[in-house]
Amino acid sequence: MDVIGEDRAEPVVVERAAGVGGELVLRRAGADYEIISNGMFLMDTRNGESERLLVRAAVDAALDRDGSGTGGRGGEKPARVLIGGLGVGFSLAEALSHPAVGHVTVVEREPAVVGWHAGPLRPWSRGGLDDPRVALVRADLLDVVAADPAAPAGSAQGAGFDAVCLDIDNGPDWTVTPGNARLYGPDGLDLLARRLSPRGVLAVWSAGAAPGFQDLLATRFARVEALPVPVPRGEPDMVYLARSPRP
Ligand SMILES: C[S@@+](CC[C@H](N)C(=O)[O-])C[C@H]1O[C@@H](n2cnc3c(N)ncnc32)[C@H](O)[C@@H]1O
């Protein structure tokens, strides 16, 4: 996400829709688009560096790569990635461009957001929803992760994701709807950990540092890393990586 600056083109409303989590508004500002959800500025198309890192760093960590495209064990099984939610599609496009990724499940609760990817937002997801490697699940991520992990392997409800990439809010301390907060608590983290493969990595996006959340991650996972991503103005975005869930 990028913060709106004073030098930006005045946004115009493209569409308003009743959403599952409150009203959704798609705005255009010059060549860019913005999503306002439940009265909160949630995402725009201006930058996307941290949303791409969220996926790339998680997949590389699962494969034990250093992110340079070199190293790693080689000959690995194609990686399975879970992305919640879709937003403007930076994370999805990044997953599909990663050479090690074989399957991507996208969980998005807002039909309007999905619909915008057949229209104005398509350039940012690069048509990824039509890719045969992608399964779109129109559902609340909390319901998906709370479902029985013994569901068939390969289903969104099943376990065995090498990267679970969580970006449904502005961060653990700044959720778009109150119910989402559960995912960042002890119970939610345990549900997310159940979705991971043995080599799996949980990646969590945040607009700014969330030290309390990082401490909590460390109680649930043996290896935790915080990756700051500088933004043009203000506090860096943060990507938290967690692996090796504690028994
Ligand atoms: C910040 S945007 C995601 C940005 C995305 N990483 C990208 O690259 O554009 C958050 C998305 O999560 C969706 N979302 C919010 N709460 C959700 C939930 N509980 N379950 C599923 N999707 C949710 C929103 O509708 C929105 O599309």
Side-chain angles (χ1 to χ4, degrees):
M1 185 186 69
D2 194 7
V3 175
I4 306 173
E6 290 151 11
D7 52 342
R8 300 280 165 77
E10 193 61 33
V12 293
V13 173
V14 176
E15 194 178 325
R16 287 180 192 277
V20 179
E23 188 191 45
L24 281 159
V25 183
L26 181 67
R27 301 195 310 199
R28 185 169 53 74
D32 284 297
Y33 287 89
E34 303 167 345
I35 297 175
I36 317 295
S37 177
N38 198 27
M40 179 188 293
F41 189 95
L42 189 58
M43 189 60 203
D44 69 14
T45 58
R46 292 187 179 88
N47 185 333
E49 194 182 333
S50 55
E51 288 80 2
R52 288 190 286 262
L53 181 71
L54 177 82
V55 174
R56 191 172 64 251
V59 174
D60 286 340
L63 271 49
D64 229 0
R65 287 184 176 154
D66 59 11
S68 65
T70 59
R73 293 185 289 268
E76 302 97 344
K77 276 193 350 200
R80 297 185 64 235
V81 177
L82 174 67
I83 295 175
L86 178 59
V88 303
F90 285 128
S91 301
L92 171 60
E94 183 70 15
L96 293 173
S97 72
H98 195 298
V101 171
H103 188 268
V104 184
T105 297
V106 179
V107 181
E108 170 58 52
R109 73 176 172 186
E110 299 294 355
V113 172
V114 174
W116 293 334
H117 284 268
L121 296 183
R122 192 175 172 87
W124 286 276
S125 51
R126 297 195 214 132
L129 291 180
D130 298 332
D131 190 299
R133 293 170 292 169
V134 174
L136 171 68
V137 180
R138 285 187 190 80
D140 193 308
L141 184 62
L142 284 99
D143 294 336
V144 170
V145 299
D148 184 358
S155 72
Q157 286 78 9
F161 289 99
D162 301 306
V164 170
C165 304
L166 177 58
D167 183 10
I168 59 172
D169 297 295
N170 284 335
D173 303 325
W174 189 5
T175 62
V176 66
T177 45
N180 281 0
R182 179 184 174 203
L183 272 182
Y184 308 96
D187 171 44
L189 290 180
D190 290 346
L191 293 174
L192 290 163
R194 290 195 311 179
R195 304 290 148 192
L196 295 173
S197 70
R199 64 180 181 177
V201 175
L202 170 66
V204 181
W205 191 94
S206 178
F213 175 68
Q214 185 173 351
D215 290 348
L216 181 63
L217 276 179
T219 68
R220 291 310 208 253
F221 294 85
R223 295 172 69 187
V224 175
E225 244 179 293
L227 309 176
V229 182
V231 294
R233 273 175 290 266
E235 238 195 295
D237 292 343
M238 294 295 290
V239 170
Y240 291 99
L241 297 183
R243 55 188 135 162
S244 309
R246 297 185 190 279

mmCIF file of all heavy atoms in Angstrom, residues 1 24 35 37 42-44 48 51-52 54-55 83-93 107-110 113-114 117 137 139-143 165-170 176-177 179-180 183 205, ligand 1:
data_model
loop_
_atom_site.group_PDB
_atom_site.id
_atom_site.type_symbol
_atom_site.label_atom_id
_atom_site.label_comp_id
_atom_site.label_asym_id
_atom_site.label_seq_id
_atom_site.Cartn_x
_atom_site.Cartn_y
_atom_site.Cartn_z
ATOM 1 N N MET A 1 0.846 -1.189 0.000
ATOM 2 C CA MET A 1 0.000 0.000 0.000
ATOM 3 C C MET A 1 0.877 1.233 0.000
ATOM 4 O O MET A 1 1.964 1.225 0.522
ATOM 5 C CB MET A 1 -0.891 0.011 1.238
ATOM 6 C CG MET A 1 -1.874 1.134 1.253
ATOM 7 S SD MET A 1 -2.794 1.217 2.802
ATOM 8 C CE MET A 1 -1.525 1.736 3.931
ATOM 9 N N LEU A 24 -17.544 -1.080 -0.536
ATOM 10 C CA LEU A 24 -16.292 -1.074 -1.290
ATOM 11 C C LEU A 24 -16.360 0.030 -2.323
ATOM 12 O O LEU A 24 -17.383 0.186 -2.993
ATOM 13 C CB LEU A 24 -16.116 -2.392 -2.036
ATOM 14 C CG LEU A 24 -15.627 -3.540 -1.180
ATOM 15 C CD1 LEU A 24 -15.983 -4.852 -1.854
ATOM 16 C CD2 LEU A 24 -14.131 -3.441 -0.974
ATOM 17 N N ILE A 35 -8.480 1.093 -3.700
ATOM 18 C CA ILE A 35 -9.626 0.374 -3.118
ATOM 19 C C ILE A 35 -9.851 0.902 -1.703
ATOM 20 O O ILE A 35 -8.938 0.880 -0.864
ATOM 21 C CB ILE A 35 -9.364 -1.152 -3.054
ATOM 22 C CG1 ILE A 35 -9.200 -1.734 -4.463
ATOM 23 C CG2 ILE A 35 -10.505 -1.857 -2.318
ATOM 24 C CD1 ILE A 35 -8.825 -3.223 -4.476
ATOM 25 N N SER A 37 -12.200 0.166 1.498
ATOM 26 C CA SER A 37 -13.066 -0.902 2.014
ATOM 27 C C SER A 37 -13.524 -0.530 3.405
ATOM 28 O O SER A 37 -12.693 -0.221 4.277
ATOM 29 C CB SER A 37 -12.265 -2.213 2.049
ATOM 30 O OG SER A 37 -13.040 -3.250 2.591
ATOM 31 N N LEU A 42 -7.453 0.805 1.641
ATOM 32 C CA LEU A 42 -6.906 -0.544 1.845
ATOM 33 C C LEU A 42 -5.758 -0.864 0.903
ATOM 34 O O LEU A 42 -4.792 -1.535 1.290
ATOM 35 C CB LEU A 42 -8.038 -1.568 1.662
ATOM 36 C CG LEU A 42 -7.738 -3.014 2.046
ATOM 37 C CD1 LEU A 42 -7.313 -3.128 3.508
ATOM 38 C CD2 LEU A 42 -8.970 -3.894 1.810
ATOM 39 N N MET A 43 -5.830 -0.382 -0.345
ATOM 40 C CA MET A 43 -4.827 -0.820 -1.317
ATOM 41 C C MET A 43 -4.858 0.098 -2.522
ATOM 42 O O MET A 43 -5.904 0.653 -2.855
ATOM 43 C CB MET A 43 -5.161 -2.266 -1.733
ATOM 44 C CG MET A 43 -4.115 -2.945 -2.561
ATOM 45 S SD MET A 43 -2.543 -3.042 -1.674
ATOM 46 C CE MET A 43 -1.416 -3.215 -3.029
ATOM 47 N N ASP A 44 -3.718 0.263 -3.163
ATOM 48 C CA ASP A 44 -3.699 0.971 -4.445
ATOM 49 C C ASP A 44 -2.668 0.341 -5.368
ATOM 50 O O ASP A 44 -1.934 -0.567 -4.975
ATOM 51 C CB ASP A 44 -3.462 2.480 -4.252
ATOM 52 C CG ASP A 44 -2.071 2.805 -3.761
ATOM 53 O OD1 ASP A 44 -1.191 1.932 -3.806
ATOM 54 O OD2 ASP A 44 -1.852 3.951 -3.337
ATOM 55 N N GLY A 48 3.516 -1.554 -4.682
ATOM 56 C CA GLY A 48 3.418 -3.014 -4.721
ATOM 57 C C GLY A 48 4.690 -3.758 -4.367
ATOM 58 O O GLY A 48 4.712 -4.987 -4.357
ATOM 59 N N GLU A 51 4.111 -5.959 -1.294
ATOM 60 C CA GLU A 51 3.121 -7.018 -1.566
ATOM 61 C C GLU A 51 3.745 -8.122 -2.422
ATOM 62 O O GLU A 51 3.371 -9.286 -2.319
ATOM 63 C CB GLU A 51 1.890 -6.429 -2.282
ATOM 64 C CG GLU A 51 1.000 -5.560 -1.404
ATOM 65 C CD GLU A 51 1.514 -4.136 -1.218
ATOM 66 O OE1 GLU A 51 2.567 -3.780 -1.818
ATOM 67 O OE2 GLU A 51 0.874 -3.367 -0.480
ATOM 68 N N ARG A 52 4.705 -7.742 -3.277
ATOM 69 C CA ARG A 52 5.415 -8.758 -4.069
ATOM 70 C C ARG A 52 6.429 -9.496 -3.202
ATOM 71 O O ARG A 52 6.575 -10.707 -3.293
ATOM 72 C CB ARG A 52 6.101 -8.107 -5.280
ATOM 73 C CG ARG A 52 5.106 -7.664 -6.354
ATOM 74 C CD ARG A 52 5.814 -7.263 -7.633
ATOM 75 N NE ARG A 52 6.477 -5.981 -7.491
ATOM 76 C CZ ARG A 52 5.956 -4.818 -7.902
ATOM 77 N NH1 ARG A 52 4.789 -4.798 -8.493
ATOM 78 N NH2 ARG A 52 6.616 -3.707 -7.727
ATOM 79 N N LEU A 54 6.210 -10.076 -0.101
ATOM 80 C CA LEU A 54 5.448 -10.984 0.779
ATOM 81 C C LEU A 54 5.462 -12.412 0.222
ATOM 82 O O LEU A 54 5.679 -13.379 0.955
ATOM 83 C CB LEU A 54 4.008 -10.467 0.867
ATOM 84 C CG LEU A 54 3.005 -11.284 1.668
ATOM 85 C CD1 LEU A 54 3.157 -10.958 3.153
ATOM 86 C CD2 LEU A 54 1.563 -10.969 1.229
ATOM 87 N N VAL A 55 5.251 -12.528 -1.066
ATOM 88 C CA VAL A 55 5.173 -13.844 -1.704
ATOM 89 C C VAL A 55 6.572 -14.379 -2.028
ATOM 90 O O VAL A 55 6.914 -15.522 -1.709
ATOM 91 C CB VAL A 55 4.324 -13.754 -2.992
ATOM 92 C CG1 VAL A 55 4.357 -15.068 -3.748
ATOM 93 C CG2 VAL A 55 2.897 -13.364 -2.650
ATOM 94 N N ILE A 83 -2.795 -17.310 -0.959
ATOM 95 C CA ILE A 83 -2.773 -15.853 -0.823
ATOM 96 C C ILE A 83 -4.140 -15.376 -0.325
ATOM 97 O O ILE A 83 -5.175 -15.665 -0.921
ATOM 98 C CB ILE A 83 -2.488 -15.166 -2.181
ATOM 99 C CG1 ILE A 83 -1.077 -15.515 -2.671
ATOM 100 C CG2 ILE A 83 -2.641 -13.650 -2.068
ATOM 101 C CD1 ILE A 83 -0.764 -14.969 -4.066
ATOM 102 N N GLY A 84 -4.172 -14.638 0.738
ATOM 103 C CA GLY A 84 -5.401 -13.997 1.216
ATOM 104 C C GLY A 84 -5.051 -12.556 1.493
ATOM 105 O O GLY A 84 -4.132 -12.288 2.263
ATOM 106 N N GLY A 85 -5.701 -11.532 0.858
ATOM 107 C CA GLY A 85 -6.678 -11.620 -0.202
ATOM 108 C C GLY A 85 -6.109 -11.090 -1.516
ATOM 109 O O GLY A 85 -4.933 -10.745 -1.639
ATOM 110 N N LEU A 86 -6.995 -10.857 -2.437
ATOM 111 C CA LEU A 86 -6.587 -10.533 -3.813
ATOM 112 C C LEU A 86 -6.119 -9.083 -3.979
ATOM 113 O O LEU A 86 -5.103 -8.828 -4.632
ATOM 114 C CB LEU A 86 -7.782 -10.814 -4.744
ATOM 115 C CG LEU A 86 -7.605 -10.504 -6.215
ATOM 116 C CD1 LEU A 86 -6.439 -11.283 -6.820
ATOM 117 C CD2 LEU A 86 -8.904 -10.811 -6.979
ATOM 118 N N GLY A 87 -6.853 -8.124 -3.430
ATOM 119 C CA GLY A 87 -6.486 -6.699 -3.556
ATOM 120 C C GLY A 87 -6.375 -6.289 -5.013
ATOM 121 O O GLY A 87 -7.227 -6.621 -5.836
ATOM 122 N N VAL A 88 -5.272 -5.608 -5.363
ATOM 123 C CA VAL A 88 -5.079 -5.205 -6.760
ATOM 124 C C VAL A 88 -4.266 -6.239 -7.528
ATOM 125 O O VAL A 88 -3.984 -6.052 -8.713
ATOM 126 C CB VAL A 88 -4.437 -3.798 -6.881
ATOM 127 C CG1 VAL A 88 -5.285 -2.764 -6.167
ATOM 128 C CG2 VAL A 88 -3.001 -3.790 -6.378
ATOM 129 N N GLY A 89 -3.835 -7.298 -6.854
ATOM 130 C CA GLY A 89 -3.256 -8.431 -7.576
ATOM 131 C C GLY A 89 -1.740 -8.466 -7.681
ATOM 132 O O GLY A 89 -1.195 -9.338 -8.358
ATOM 133 N N PHE A 90 -1.035 -7.555 -7.000
ATOM 134 C CA PHE A 90 0.438 -7.603 -7.052
ATOM 135 C C PHE A 90 0.960 -8.960 -6.554
ATOM 136 O O PHE A 90 1.858 -9.550 -7.141
ATOM 137 C CB PHE A 90 1.051 -6.520 -6.155
ATOM 138 C CG PHE A 90 0.986 -5.121 -6.689
ATOM 139 C CD1 PHE A 90 0.460 -4.096 -5.912
ATOM 140 C CD2 PHE A 90 1.478 -4.803 -7.947
ATOM 141 C CE1 PHE A 90 0.430 -2.789 -6.382
ATOM 142 C CE2 PHE A 90 1.454 -3.493 -8.421
ATOM 143 C CZ PHE A 90 0.924 -2.483 -7.633
ATOM 144 N N SER A 91 0.409 -9.429 -5.418
ATOM 145 C CA SER A 91 0.921 -10.673 -4.818
ATOM 146 C C SER A 91 0.643 -11.860 -5.729
ATOM 147 O O SER A 91 1.491 -12.744 -5.896
ATOM 148 C CB SER A 91 0.280 -10.904 -3.445
ATOM 149 O OG SER A 91 0.543 -9.827 -2.575
ATOM 150 N N LEU A 92 -0.542 -11.891 -6.309
ATOM 151 C CA LEU A 92 -0.883 -12.990 -7.217
ATOM 152 C C LEU A 92 0.055 -13.009 -8.418
ATOM 153 O O LEU A 92 0.601 -14.065 -8.785
ATOM 154 C CB LEU A 92 -2.340 -12.855 -7.683
ATOM 155 C CG LEU A 92 -2.769 -13.811 -8.795
ATOM 156 C CD1 LEU A 92 -2.615 -15.269 -8.357
ATOM 157 C CD2 LEU A 92 -4.199 -13.533 -9.228
ATOM 158 N N ALA A 93 0.258 -11.853 -9.033
ATOM 159 C CA ALA A 93 1.136 -11.798 -10.214
ATOM 160 C C ALA A 93 2.551 -12.238 -9.847
ATOM 161 O O ALA A 93 3.217 -12.940 -10.621
ATOM 162 C CB ALA A 93 1.138 -10.385 -10.790
ATOM 163 N N VAL A 107 -7.727 -16.560 -1.741
ATOM 164 C CA VAL A 107 -8.967 -16.449 -0.971
ATOM 165 C C VAL A 107 -9.336 -14.971 -0.881
ATOM 166 O O VAL A 107 -8.557 -14.157 -0.371
ATOM 167 C CB VAL A 107 -8.807 -17.046 0.446
ATOM 168 C CG1 VAL A 107 -10.128 -16.935 1.210
ATOM 169 C CG2 VAL A 107 -8.343 -18.496 0.375
ATOM 170 N N GLU A 108 -10.520 -14.633 -1.409
ATOM 171 C CA GLU A 108 -10.989 -13.241 -1.411
ATOM 172 C C GLU A 108 -12.476 -13.248 -1.083
ATOM 173 O O GLU A 108 -13.254 -13.961 -1.712
ATOM 174 C CB GLU A 108 -10.733 -12.618 -2.790
ATOM 175 C CG GLU A 108 -11.378 -11.262 -3.011
ATOM 176 C CD GLU A 108 -10.949 -10.198 -2.004
ATOM 177 O OE1 GLU A 108 -9.741 -9.990 -1.817
ATOM 178 O OE2 GLU A 108 -11.837 -9.575 -1.373
ATOM 179 N N ARG A 109 -12.865 -12.417 -0.099
ATOM 180 C CA ARG A 109 -14.272 -12.469 0.328
ATOM 181 C C ARG A 109 -15.170 -11.506 -0.443
ATOM 182 O O ARG A 109 -16.396 -11.596 -0.334
ATOM 183 C CB ARG A 109 -14.373 -12.206 1.828
ATOM 184 C CG ARG A 109 -14.143 -10.783 2.238
ATOM 185 C CD ARG A 109 -14.350 -10.597 3.735
ATOM 186 N NE ARG A 109 -13.950 -9.268 4.159
ATOM 187 C CZ ARG A 109 -13.920 -8.868 5.410
ATOM 188 N NH1 ARG A 109 -14.258 -9.700 6.370
ATOM 189 N NH2 ARG A 109 -13.534 -7.648 5.728
ATOM 190 N N GLU A 110 -14.574 -10.558 -1.180
ATOM 191 C CA GLU A 110 -15.385 -9.519 -1.817
ATOM 192 C C GLU A 110 -15.592 -9.796 -3.310
ATOM 193 O O GLU A 110 -14.661 -9.632 -4.121
ATOM 194 C CB GLU A 110 -14.715 -8.147 -1.647
ATOM 195 C CG GLU A 110 -14.536 -7.714 -0.194
ATOM 196 C CD GLU A 110 -15.869 -7.473 0.528
ATOM 197 O OE1 GLU A 110 -16.933 -7.554 -0.125
ATOM 198 O OE2 GLU A 110 -15.832 -7.215 1.746
ATOM 199 N N VAL A 113 -14.308 -7.057 -5.701
ATOM 200 C CA VAL A 113 -12.860 -7.016 -5.958
ATOM 201 C C VAL A 113 -12.500 -8.022 -7.052
ATOM 202 O O VAL A 113 -11.755 -7.718 -7.988
ATOM 203 C CB VAL A 113 -12.060 -7.301 -4.660
ATOM 204 C CG1 VAL A 113 -10.572 -7.456 -4.960
ATOM 205 C CG2 VAL A 113 -12.271 -6.181 -3.641
ATOM 206 N N VAL A 114 -13.067 -9.210 -6.946
ATOM 207 C CA VAL A 114 -12.808 -10.238 -7.966
ATOM 208 C C VAL A 114 -13.260 -9.713 -9.336
ATOM 209 O O VAL A 114 -12.531 -9.808 -10.325
ATOM 210 C CB VAL A 114 -13.540 -11.547 -7.611
ATOM 211 C CG1 VAL A 114 -13.402 -12.565 -8.743
ATOM 212 C CG2 VAL A 114 -12.998 -12.118 -6.298
ATOM 213 N N HIS A 117 -11.085 -7.421 -11.457
ATOM 214 C CA HIS A 117 -9.927 -8.011 -12.152
ATOM 215 C C HIS A 117 -10.278 -8.510 -13.550
ATOM 216 O O HIS A 117 -9.394 -8.904 -14.307
ATOM 217 C CB HIS A 117 -9.294 -9.125 -11.306
ATOM 218 C CG HIS A 117 -8.480 -8.537 -10.191
ATOM 219 N ND1 HIS A 117 -7.134 -8.268 -10.310
ATOM 220 C CD2 HIS A 117 -8.848 -8.102 -8.959
ATOM 221 C CE1 HIS A 117 -6.705 -7.710 -9.203
ATOM 222 N NE2 HIS A 117 -7.724 -7.599 -8.349
ATOM 223 N N VAL A 137 -10.969 -18.829 -4.376
ATOM 224 C CA VAL A 137 -11.982 -19.210 -3.384
ATOM 225 C C VAL A 137 -12.630 -17.926 -2.896
ATOM 226 O O VAL A 137 -11.980 -17.100 -2.248
ATOM 227 C CB VAL A 137 -11.329 -19.977 -2.204
ATOM 228 C CG1 VAL A 137 -12.382 -20.380 -1.182
ATOM 229 C CG2 VAL A 137 -10.566 -21.185 -2.707
ATOM 230 N N ALA A 139 -14.419 -16.504 -0.383
ATOM 231 C CA ALA A 139 -14.814 -16.844 0.989
ATOM 232 C C ALA A 139 -14.046 -15.966 1.955
ATOM 233 O O ALA A 139 -13.086 -15.284 1.584
ATOM 234 C CB ALA A 139 -14.491 -18.315 1.260
ATOM 235 N N ASP A 140 -14.499 -16.011 3.198
ATOM 236 C CA ASP A 140 -13.768 -15.337 4.268
ATOM 237 C C ASP A 140 -12.583 -16.216 4.655
ATOM 238 O O ASP A 140 -12.744 -17.407 4.931
ATOM 239 C CB ASP A 140 -14.710 -15.134 5.462
ATOM 240 C CG ASP A 140 -14.114 -14.174 6.470
ATOM 241 O OD1 ASP A 140 -12.952 -14.390 6.883
ATOM 242 O OD2 ASP A 140 -14.804 -13.224 6.863
ATOM 243 N N LEU A 141 -11.404 -15.630 4.695
ATOM 244 C CA LEU A 141 -10.196 -16.399 5.012
ATOM 245 C C LEU A 141 -10.309 -17.067 6.383
ATOM 246 O O LEU A 141 -9.779 -18.160 6.605
ATOM 247 C CB LEU A 141 -8.971 -15.481 4.962
ATOM 248 C CG LEU A 141 -7.619 -16.136 5.162
ATOM 249 C CD1 LEU A 141 -7.317 -17.168 4.071
ATOM 250 C CD2 LEU A 141 -6.502 -15.101 5.207
ATOM 251 N N LEU A 142 -11.013 -16.415 7.309
ATOM 252 C CA LEU A 142 -11.144 -17.014 8.643
ATOM 253 C C LEU A 142 -11.912 -18.322 8.578
ATOM 254 O O LEU A 142 -11.561 -19.288 9.256
ATOM 255 C CB LEU A 142 -11.818 -16.040 9.610
ATOM 256 C CG LEU A 142 -10.865 -14.947 10.074
ATOM 257 C CD1 LEU A 142 -11.054 -13.673 9.308
ATOM 258 C CD2 LEU A 142 -10.972 -14.714 11.555
ATOM 259 N N ASP A 143 -12.959 -18.360 7.746
ATOM 260 C CA ASP A 143 -13.727 -19.603 7.593
ATOM 261 C C ASP A 143 -12.864 -20.673 6.936
ATOM 262 O O ASP A 143 -12.941 -21.849 7.292
ATOM 263 C CB ASP A 143 -14.980 -19.359 6.737
ATOM 264 C CG ASP A 143 -15.958 -18.422 7.430
ATOM 265 O OD1 ASP A 143 -15.910 -18.336 8.670
ATOM 266 O OD2 ASP A 143 -16.752 -17.763 6.727
ATOM 267 N N CYS A 165 0.391 -16.572 2.562
ATOM 268 C CA CYS A 165 0.684 -15.140 2.503
ATOM 269 C C CYS A 165 -0.552 -14.362 2.919
ATOM 270 O O CYS A 165 -1.562 -14.354 2.213
ATOM 271 C CB CYS A 165 1.108 -14.764 1.088
ATOM 272 S SG CYS A 165 2.522 -15.736 0.518
ATOM 273 N N LEU A 166 -0.453 -13.703 4.053
ATOM 274 C CA LEU A 166 -1.603 -13.050 4.671
ATOM 275 C C LEU A 166 -1.517 -11.537 4.463
ATOM 276 O O LEU A 166 -0.624 -10.871 4.999
ATOM 277 C CB LEU A 166 -1.610 -13.399 6.170
ATOM 278 C CG LEU A 166 -2.678 -12.774 7.048
ATOM 279 C CD1 LEU A 166 -4.064 -13.132 6.553
ATOM 280 C CD2 LEU A 166 -2.505 -13.237 8.491
ATOM 281 N N ASP A 167 -2.438 -11.025 3.655
ATOM 282 C CA ASP A 167 -2.520 -9.574 3.430
ATOM 283 C C ASP A 167 -3.982 -9.221 3.193
ATOM 284 O O ASP A 167 -4.399 -8.964 2.070
ATOM 285 C CB ASP A 167 -1.637 -9.173 2.237
ATOM 286 C CG ASP A 167 -1.644 -7.660 2.008
ATOM 287 O OD1 ASP A 167 -2.159 -6.922 2.875
ATOM 288 O OD2 ASP A 167 -1.140 -7.222 0.958
ATOM 289 N N ILE A 168 -4.756 -9.228 4.277
ATOM 290 C CA ILE A 168 -6.180 -8.898 4.152
ATOM 291 C C ILE A 168 -6.502 -7.557 4.825
ATOM 292 O O ILE A 168 -7.633 -7.095 4.756
ATOM 293 C CB ILE A 168 -7.102 -10.016 4.718
ATOM 294 C CG1 ILE A 168 -6.821 -10.272 6.190
ATOM 295 C CG2 ILE A 168 -6.969 -11.290 3.901
ATOM 296 C CD1 ILE A 168 -7.830 -11.240 6.852
ATOM 297 N N ASP A 169 -5.518 -6.965 5.477
ATOM 298 C CA ASP A 169 -5.746 -5.752 6.270
ATOM 299 C C ASP A 169 -4.618 -4.757 6.020
ATOM 300 O O ASP A 169 -3.722 -5.009 5.228
ATOM 301 C CB ASP A 169 -5.774 -6.128 7.760
ATOM 302 C CG ASP A 169 -6.925 -7.071 8.092
ATOM 303 O OD1 ASP A 169 -8.081 -6.642 7.970
ATOM 304 O OD2 ASP A 169 -6.656 -8.235 8.444
ATOM 305 N N ASN A 170 -4.608 -3.689 6.787
ATOM 306 C CA ASN A 170 -3.446 -2.810 6.774
ATOM 307 C C ASN A 170 -2.391 -3.287 7.765
ATOM 308 O O ASN A 170 -1.353 -2.659 7.927
ATOM 309 C CB ASN A 170 -3.862 -1.369 7.070
ATOM 310 C CG ASN A 170 -4.528 -0.728 5.854
ATOM 311 O OD1 ASN A 170 -4.276 -1.154 4.721
ATOM 312 N ND2 ASN A 170 -5.379 0.259 6.067
ATOM 313 N N VAL A 176 -9.350 -4.315 8.686
ATOM 314 C CA VAL A 176 -10.401 -3.653 7.914
ATOM 315 C C VAL A 176 -11.773 -3.898 8.534
ATOM 316 O O VAL A 176 -12.666 -3.049 8.437
ATOM 317 C CB VAL A 176 -10.329 -4.077 6.432
ATOM 318 C CG1 VAL A 176 -10.646 -5.543 6.230
ATOM 319 C CG2 VAL A 176 -11.248 -3.232 5.556
ATOM 320 N N THR A 177 -11.948 -5.051 9.160
ATOM 321 C CA THR A 177 -13.160 -5.333 9.945
ATOM 322 C C THR A 177 -12.696 -5.997 11.243
ATOM 323 O O THR A 177 -11.678 -6.708 11.262
ATOM 324 C CB THR A 177 -14.142 -6.258 9.190
ATOM 325 O OG1 THR A 177 -13.416 -7.341 8.606
ATOM 326 C CG2 THR A 177 -14.873 -5.516 8.088
ATOM 327 N N GLY A 179 -13.512 -8.571 12.948
ATOM 328 C CA GLY A 179 -13.363 -10.031 12.989
ATOM 329 C C GLY A 179 -12.027 -10.514 12.465
ATOM 330 O O GLY A 179 -11.528 -11.567 12.877
ATOM 331 N N ASN A 180 -11.412 -9.754 11.551
ATOM 332 C CA ASN A 180 -10.124 -10.186 10.993
ATOM 333 C C ASN A 180 -9.036 -10.263 12.056
ATOM 334 O O ASN A 180 -8.043 -10.975 11.889
ATOM 335 C CB ASN A 180 -9.668 -9.218 9.893
ATOM 336 C CG ASN A 180 -10.378 -9.456 8.569
ATOM 337 O OD1 ASN A 180 -11.218 -10.345 8.461
ATOM 338 N ND2 ASN A 180 -10.046 -8.661 7.562
ATOM 339 N N LEU A 183 -7.181 -13.544 13.331
ATOM 340 C CA LEU A 183 -6.111 -14.246 12.617
ATOM 341 C C LEU A 183 -4.722 -13.902 13.154
ATOM 342 O O LEU A 183 -3.781 -14.677 12.970
ATOM 343 C CB LEU A 183 -6.155 -13.902 11.121
ATOM 344 C CG LEU A 183 -7.045 -14.773 10.248
ATOM 345 C CD1 LEU A 183 -6.945 -14.336 8.799
ATOM 346 C CD2 LEU A 183 -6.664 -16.248 10.372
ATOM 347 N N TRP A 205 1.771 -9.350 6.063
ATOM 348 C CA TRP A 205 2.050 -7.970 5.631
ATOM 349 C C TRP A 205 1.542 -6.993 6.696
ATOM 350 O O TRP A 205 0.500 -7.211 7.305
ATOM 351 C CB TRP A 205 1.326 -7.715 4.305
ATOM 352 C CG TRP A 205 1.736 -6.449 3.625
ATOM 353 C CD1 TRP A 205 2.696 -6.316 2.666
ATOM 354 C CD2 TRP A 205 1.209 -5.131 3.854
ATOM 355 N NE1 TRP A 205 2.805 -5.003 2.279
ATOM 356 C CE2 TRP A 205 1.900 -4.257 2.986
ATOM 357 C CE3 TRP A 205 0.229 -4.608 4.695
ATOM 358 C CZ2 TRP A 205 1.645 -2.892 2.946
ATOM 359 C CZ3 TRP A 205 -0.021 -3.247 4.669
ATOM 360 C CH2 TRP A 205 0.684 -2.409 3.792
HETATM 361 C C1 LIG B 1 -4.614 -5.074 1.225
HETATM 362 S S1 LIG B 1 -5.594 -5.925 0.065
HETATM 363 C C2 LIG B 1 -4.529 -7.196 -0.540
HETATM 364 C C3 LIG B 1 -3.384 -6.664 -1.332
HETATM 365 C C4 LIG B 1 -2.714 -7.733 -2.175
HETATM 366 N N1 LIG B 1 -1.618 -8.353 -1.441
HETATM 367 C C5 LIG B 1 -2.185 -7.125 -3.467
HETATM 368 O O1 LIG B 1 -1.082 -7.492 -3.894
HETATM 369 O O2 LIG B 1 -2.887 -6.306 -4.049
HETATM 370 C C6 LIG B 1 -6.660 -6.873 1.124
HETATM 371 C C7 LIG B 1 -7.642 -7.760 0.387
HETATM 372 O O3 LIG B 1 -8.149 -8.734 1.315
HETATM 373 C C8 LIG B 1 -9.560 -8.843 1.199
HETATM 374 N N2 LIG B 1 -10.075 -9.268 2.501
HETATM 375 C C9 LIG B 1 -10.244 -8.529 3.634
HETATM 376 N N3 LIG B 1 -10.667 -9.299 4.642
HETATM 377 C C10 LIG B 1 -10.783 -10.555 4.149
HETATM 378 C C11 LIG B 1 -11.171 -11.814 4.732
HETATM 379 N N4 LIG B 1 -11.520 -11.903 6.016
HETATM 380 N N5 LIG B 1 -11.176 -12.906 3.940
HETATM 381 C C12 LIG B 1 -10.816 -12.820 2.622
HETATM 382 N N6 LIG B 1 -10.435 -11.668 2.024
HETATM 383 C C13 LIG B 1 -10.419 -10.552 2.789
HETATM 384 C C14 LIG B 1 -9.985 -7.443 0.776
HETATM 385 O O4 LIG B 1 -11.264 -7.458 0.164
HETATM 386 C C15 LIG B 1 -8.848 -7.053 -0.178
HETATM 387 O O5 LIG B 1 -9.108 -7.481 -1.479
#
